[in-house]
Amino acid sequence: MNKKSCEFGCRGSRDKVGVLLAQLGTPDAPTPGKLRPYLRQFLSDRRVIEVNRVLWWLLLNCVILVTRPRRSARLYKRIWQKEGSPLLVITRRQTEGVAERLRREYPNVEVEFGMRYGKPSLESSVDKLIERGCSKILLFPMYPQYAAATTASTYDAVFPHLLKRRWVPTLRVAEPYFAHPAYVGALATVINEHLSKMEWQPDRLVLSYHGVPEKYVTKGDPYCCQCVETTAALLPRVSLPKERIIHTFQSRFGRDPWLQPYTDETLEHLGEEGIGSVAVAAPGFTADCLETLDELGNEGEEQFHEAGGKRYSLIPCLNDHPAWLDGMTEILKQELGSWLEGPARSASDCAISCPLKQAANG
């Protein structure tokens, strides 16, 4: 028996616990060449686009992927940072912050992040955790509210990849935390801190969630209800009267009706109605990205000002704020539960030698 098979004959690694933070994704660079494969992967997802596949293939490959990469690249260039994509930079910091907090108490916990679309992929991050000796993995989608197009799509990537292995790690999936006190408390902290530092107080606070087509909800997607519950839990904790807070949905695509009221139309109406100052927050996003920094931060401000509005402020997402890193760690510890009990074990701890090793050494 060769050395490799002998080593494989016993477990040879510690029973570590892995945490996989799952984020949506980002292109590698703000260029049409890098946007094209990213958009192809994203818009080919059956969870994201639920239409006739033949017609969609023609539209995607003959129209969208011909025209949209150039426009999207221009938008990404407006928010791109020296370190790279804001979503990638922030997600890396979140991962490091949570890992540091967990390891203070549980040194056998490994934390990685993966992207549903783009790099690093969820599949490659799963492999990293397993290579580090993780026999148990907690999948933690960075989407507080469940949606088939985000949360379930993450499952579509992770579950089949795990099932390709002979030894499939034990898997847990964190439940949506749309009303978890740790998440809502972190949201309130970030929003209230921003409001307290402003030189003026907004006449309206717009809470903008990513939208989905109405037909997805009628088919049974709980996303809309969970967004509403997040807002309901947040209202008592925000330092503004609830009558000055508006709940909206953004980022609609195509001609089908999406969840309403629409954020862009709401900002225009507020400006036209003489509302002079607005602050905007995006509670459904745990990290700033194109949809927050550009769609809300640039386009939203332009829409409001063009409609007659005067003052506009975009409130950052949870990002790597200590309140969210602490809150996320609290949620993770609850989800990990019994996996955090007791010390990690290695093959050397076993009183009985592996028969394969005995045979090889005999």
Side-chain angles (χ1 to χ4, degrees):
M1 182 176 297
N2 60 40
K3 182 178 181 182
K4 182 176 182 181
S5 60
C6 176
E7 289 180 347
F8 190 76
C10 69
R11 295 190 330 184
S13 63
R14 297 171 66 84
D15 282 331
K16 290 187 177 180
V17 175
V19 174
L20 177 58
L21 307 182
Q23 199 34 289
L24 186 70
T26 180
D28 293 335
T31 64
K34 295 298 184 180
L35 260 297
R36 191 165 290 107
Y38 171 75
L39 290 174
R40 177 179 287 111
Q41 184 185 16
F42 173 50
L43 296 175
S44 296
D45 191 335
R46 293 173 180 266
R47 296 279 193 179
V48 175
I49 305 295
E50 298 182 15
V51 296
N52 180 282
R53 302 313 299 175
V54 174
L55 293 178
W56 179 248
W57 186 94
L58 291 171
L59 179 61
L60 177 62
N61 289 278
C62 299
V63 179
I64 296 175
L65 292 179
V66 174
T67 60
R68 188 165 178 178
R70 189 174 301 277
R71 178 182 180 275
S72 295
R74 289 197 299 268
L75 300 180
Y76 270 101
K77 284 181 180 178
R78 300 204 294 189
I79 67 164
W80 210 260
Q81 300 176 357
K82 184 177 180 180
E83 302 95 326
S85 164
L87 181 65
L88 180 63
V89 172
I90 293 168
T91 303
R92 184 179 292 116
R93 291 173 181 169
Q94 290 172 328
T95 303
E96 293 170 352
V98 167
E100 179 184 355
R101 284 162 170 77
L102 285 172
R103 287 173 186 160
R104 291 172 187 169
E105 298 180 71
Y106 310 102
N108 65 317
V109 174
E110 297 284 340
V111 185
E112 282 288 342
F113 73 91
M115 301 294 185
R116 178 62 180 89
Y117 318 106
K119 302 173 184 177
S121 68
L122 289 168
E123 294 89 343
S124 67
S125 296
V126 166
D127 292 342
K128 285 182 181 179
L129 290 173
I130 295 175
E131 289 167 4
R132 293 176 185 173
C134 296
S135 59
K136 307 176 186 68
I137 296 176
L138 171 67
L139 175 60
F140 187 84
M142 297 294 282
Y143 322 116
Q145 299 82 17
Y146 176 99
T150 52
T151 313
S153 180
T154 296
Y155 303 163
D156 290 343
V158 173
F159 294 177
H161 186 70
L162 283 174
L163 293 177
K164 295 176 182 178
R165 290 182 169 269
R166 175 170 293 276
W167 182 3
V168 180
T170 305
L171 180 69
R172 284 181 181 171
V173 178
E175 65 178 316
Y177 44 94
F178 56 93
H180 194 289
Y183 160 67
V184 177
L187 281 175
T189 296
V190 171
I191 292 173
N192 289 334
E193 279 188 5
H194 184 88
L195 294 175
S196 68
K197 296 176 182 178
M198 293 171 57
E199 296 180 354
W200 46 272
Q201 287 300 287
D203 298 320
R204 295 291 185 275
L205 170 63
V206 177
L207 301 179
S208 180
Y209 295 80
H210 200 290
V212 298
E214 289 181 356
K215 64 182 180 181
Y216 290 12
V217 176
T218 59
K219 289 180 179 179
D221 201 309
Y223 178 72
C224 180
C225 293
Q226 294 186 0
C227 290
V228 170
E229 290 191 47
T230 296
T231 294
L234 185 58
L235 285 178
R237 307 186 68 165
V238 174
S239 58
L240 284 176
K242 62 181 181 180
E243 59 270 15
R244 289 162 61 182
I245 302 176
I246 304 173
H247 178 114
T248 65
F249 295 94
Q250 65 180 86
S251 305
R252 70 185 187 276
F253 173 78
R255 298 181 179 180
D256 290 339
W258 283 42
L259 294 178
Q260 299 183 43
Y262 300 136
T263 300
D264 55 354
E265 292 184 357
T266 298
L267 292 173
E268 291 175 358
H269 292 159
L270 290 174
E272 293 168 352
E273 293 168 2
I275 301 299
S277 60
V278 165
V280 180
F285 296 84
T286 52
D288 274 311
C289 55
L290 184 70
E291 287 80 4
T292 62
L293 296 174
D294 192 66
E295 184 179 351
L296 295 179
N298 293 325
E299 295 179 1
E301 184 172 10
E302 292 171 6
Q303 291 162 348
F304 182 62
H305 287 161
E306 289 176 0
K310 304 301 181 184
R311 295 177 293 190
Y312 185 98
S313 181
L314 177 65
I315 300 175
C317 289
L318 292 169
N319 296 336
D320 58 342
H321 190 289
W324 174 228
L325 296 181
D326 291 342
M328 190 163 26
T329 302
E330 179 181 338
I331 299 173
L332 287 170
K333 288 166 67 173
Q334 291 178 5
E335 294 288 347
L336 288 166
S338 61
W339 287 359
L340 297 177
E341 298 174 3
R345 297 175 300 169
S346 67
S348 61
D349 296 329
C350 185
I352 302 175
S353 299
C354 173
L356 290 178
K357 275 197 169 182
Q358 287 183 344
N361 295 331

